[in-house]
Amino acid sequence: MAQILRGEVEELIADFKEVRKNTLNLFKPLKIEDAVIQSNVFGSPPNWHLAHVTWFFQKMLQKHGEVVRSNECVNLEYLNSYYQQFGKILPKSERGKFPRPTVEETIKYRSFIEDQISSFLKRVGYSSSGISEEIKYDILLANQHEMQHQELMIYDFQHYFQRFPDPEDNYKPTNPIVKPQQTTEAVEKPNGMVEIPEGVFELGFNGGNDLFCYDNELPEHKVYLQPFKIDIAPVSNGEFIEFIEAGGYDNFGNWLADGWDIVKEEGWRAPLYWERKEDTWMKKDFRGFREIDLDEPVTNVSYYEADAYAKWAGKRLPTEAEWEKAASWNEELQKKCLYPWGNSTRPTSKHSNLLESSLWGPSKIGSYPAGKSYYGCHQMIGDVWEWTLSEYILYPGFKSKFSEYTNKWAVNQKVLRGGSFATPRNQIRNSYRNYFKPHERILFSGFRCVSDL
């Protein structure tokens, strides 16, 4: 069995501690009263997020034979999200009705498990047997799982603080919100479409064994793509307002049947969180109560809204294979890249708007020319997740690396690509597959369109 080197052990521990610190930094601005509220059934109390991701690390320890006596810190029966293999599950809709563990107990539990993980990795890593590739993968998976919950917490923050009209009664991150002009260059707004040639394309992760990916990004496999054109940039707020003003939410011909039912039942008239104040669309977000910026990508729209807009515009949404080719393929090098801008540089604030950019909202379209793809597509990483036409299914030849993590969800969900302003930079890549149900809008989701040639 392959082992990792001592230097990698130190790096693994450092990455683990960094992830844990980042989660606590997101949690710290909350009052206890805010930390235990579940604002809706599709979210979770922030305190539950904090305890659940710790519970997940505990399960990793137990999988590898560690005896963990955490019952001195916390009652674990509230923390299983959906893993049948681990026994009793607290339904998601009930999490806010059981504010246990308490916040104090959660913090104590986190500290206890962090010590256990660090001790385990040092003991095994410095032994003659060393850390196996399986242990390394499981710890990395738990890190990635926690990063996913960091973003989910931010969705919940946005939804929770909407109930308070006072713009000052808001989530205020520990790191100051950076103004976009401090991190981006003033550039001409890109628009139009670019043609992507037909041909065989290998869909999926190809970054090699040294880099982490989820099992649902594998195996890389061949698909054939017809030629198509894709939007250079995500659909903007200004463009989406044109759809609204043209009666987009009134014309059933734009909508899939299920989506039209929701429009009528829920009274959808605009993206989630938008308010009409006289003749102006407004929104409370992490930056305050502000006028909708026409040049930012539209966000908090469902798949149904994205699909309806695309039909209204005479286009359609891209498949995930089309999206990935537009983001990753380099015609000159005749190979795929891990990021739109290449393989050698990981995401920075020069290339994309991710959580570490501290913008706490989408940035203007065209803000990251250094991050565009070979074909000239802007902002395919960061700002907003992008809905695709594709159903979330497992790739041919899929093999699960951790039961019940990605495999059990492969039904009735749509794939999104690219990450958002709340996605940690160590999580995202061109091949990353997110998935949500088509009616969901709490995530920071937008889209771009394609046309057939």
Side-chain angles (χ1 to χ4, degrees):
M1 183 179 293
Q3 298 175 1
I4 67 174
L5 301 176
R6 177 171 287 220
E8 292 181 90
V9 175
E10 297 293 339
E11 184 178 350
L12 192 59
I13 294 172
D15 288 346
F16 162 71
K17 290 183 176 180
E18 182 70 15
V19 170
R20 303 289 283 175
K21 181 183 74 173
N22 291 342
T23 305
L24 270 187
N25 284 339
L26 291 173
F27 185 79
K28 282 179 181 177
L30 301 176
K31 304 296 185 184
I32 289 179
E33 293 83 355
D34 300 324
V36 296
I37 294 293
Q38 183 174 12
S39 65
N40 206 301
V41 294
F42 49 65
S44 300
N47 181 57
W48 185 90
H49 283 292
L50 223 63
H52 166 74
V53 294
T54 303
W55 170 88
F56 194 85
F57 273 107
Q58 177 172 339
K59 293 303 174 185
M60 291 302 184
L61 285 170
Q62 291 171 331
K63 176 185 175 182
H64 295 286
E66 290 294 289
V67 177
V68 184
R69 295 183 175 87
S70 60
N71 58 332
E72 300 174 5
C73 302
V74 64
N75 185 334
L76 302 180
E77 67 176 272
Y78 305 105
L79 301 181
N80 187 1
S81 54
Y82 53 73
Y83 297 95
Q84 300 293 336
Q85 61 186 299
F86 298 134
K88 184 178 179 181
I89 293 173
L90 177 67
K92 189 172 186 178
S93 60
E94 299 291 299
R95 291 172 188 169
K97 299 177 183 178
F98 294 89
R100 296 292 185 273
T102 65
V103 173
E104 182 180 1
E105 289 170 339
T106 295
I107 300 300
K108 181 179 178 181
Y109 176 47
R110 283 180 66 85
S111 179
F112 176 81
I113 294 298
E114 284 168 14
D115 289 344
Q116 294 286 307
I117 289 283
S118 296
S119 296
F120 168 72
L121 292 177
K122 289 176 181 177
R123 186 178 73 253
V124 176
Y126 300 154
S127 69
S128 58
S129 59
I131 293 180
S132 67
E133 287 295 333
E134 181 183 8
I135 292 175
K136 177 184 177 182
Y137 180 86
D138 286 347
I139 296 298
L140 290 176
L141 175 64
N143 282 346
Q144 294 282 320
H145 169 258
E146 181 150 342
M147 283 187 271
Q148 287 181 316
H149 277 268
Q150 290 170 2
E151 182 162 1
L152 292 173
M153 274 205 303
I154 296 171
Y155 299 163
D156 292 335
F157 297 162
Q158 170 83 354
H159 188 270
Y160 172 71
F161 282 100
Q162 287 292 316
R163 67 185 62 201
F164 308 116
D166 181 358
E168 292 301 313
D169 192 353
N170 206 350
Y171 177 81
K172 297 177 182 179
T174 54
N175 55 325
I177 296 177
V178 176
K179 294 182 180 180
Q181 60 264 31
Q182 292 178 280
T183 61
T184 60
E185 301 174 11
V187 294
E188 183 178 352
K189 178 183 175 182
N191 55 54
M193 305 184 82
V194 63
E195 185 173 334
I196 309 294
E198 67 181 320
V200 175
F201 177 71
E202 295 201 23
L203 177 65
F205 180 78
N206 73 341
N209 295 328
D210 293 336
L211 299 174
F212 178 89
C213 75
Y214 285 110
D215 52 14
N216 67 359
E217 300 173 53
L218 298 169
E220 192 179 21
H221 60 288
K222 293 181 174 62
V223 296
Y224 190 85
L225 298 178
Q226 299 292 339
F228 63 95
K229 292 193 298 182
I230 188 167
D231 288 342
I232 289 175
V235 170
S236 69
N237 287 322
E239 291 167 329
F240 201 83
I241 287 173
E242 292 178 15
F243 166 72
I244 296 172
E245 293 179 344
Y249 283 89
D250 299 313
N251 183 358
F252 69 87
N254 296 324
W255 297 82
L256 295 168
D258 288 351
W260 183 243
D261 288 344
I262 294 176
V263 168
K264 292 186 294 181
E265 292 167 7
E266 301 293 332
W268 285 1
R269 307 300 300 165
L272 183 63
Y273 307 132
W274 284 29
E275 298 179 41
R276 188 75 168 177
K277 298 291 186 182
E278 297 179 352
D279 294 328
T280 304
W281 285 106
M282 306 287 291
K283 176 183 179 180
K284 181 183 179 183
D285 62 15
F286 296 112
R287 298 166 292 187
F289 188 68
R290 56 201 294 273
E291 184 176 344
I292 296 294
D293 189 325
L294 302 182
D295 292 329
E296 290 179 1
V298 66
T299 188
N300 295 112
V301 292
S302 66
Y303 173 85
Y304 292 131
E305 289 163 292
D307 181 75
Y309 175 96
K311 287 188 177 74
W312 170 79
K315 302 176 184 180
R316 63 174 173 84
L317 297 178
T319 66
E320 63 171 323
E322 290 170 336
W323 190 99
E324 187 174 307
K325 182 174 182 179
S328 67
W329 184 252
N330 187 306
E331 291 280 2
E332 292 180 1
L333 301 177
Q334 285 294 294
K335 70 174 186 179
K336 285 168 55 177
C337 297
L338 196 61
Y339 308 107
W341 53 88
N343 286 324
S344 59
T345 305
R346 302 193 75 176
T348 69
S349 294
K350 179 181 178 181
H351 300 96
S352 56
N353 175 17
L354 295 162
L355 180 58
E356 289 79 6
S357 299
S358 298
L359 296 182
W360 288 88
S363 47
K364 289 181 181 290
I365 289 171
S367 294
Y368 302 95
K372 64 184 179 182
S373 71
Y374 171 85
Y375 292 113
C377 293
H378 287 249
Q379 287 155 279
M380 300 197 83
I381 293 291
D383 283 304
V384 293
W385 288 101
E386 298 185 19
W387 289 105
T388 74
L389 195 63
S390 296
E391 296 291 324
Y392 175 58
I393 59 174
L394 303 173
Y395 289 160
F398 168 85
K399 293 181 179 179
S400 175
K401 289 190 175 183
F402 191 84
S403 178
E404 298 190 85
Y405 199 90
T406 61
N407 50 338
K408 69 188 292 180
W409 306 109
V411 63
N412 299 331
Q413 308 213 62
K414 289 291 186 178
V415 174
L416 301 98
R417 293 298 194 102
S420 78
F421 66 85
T423 305
R425 66 186 173 204
N426 288 335
Q427 184 153 65
I428 198 62
R429 54 202 159 268
N430 286 332
S431 58
Y432 187 106
R433 307 175 76 202
N434 201 355
Y435 45 91
F436 276 83
K437 294 186 182 301
H439 69 276
E440 293 181 303
R441 310 203 290 175
I442 190 173
L443 65 157
F444 302 130
S445 50
F447 62 99
R448 71 182 73 214
C449 301
V450 303
S451 294
D452 297 308
L453 291 175

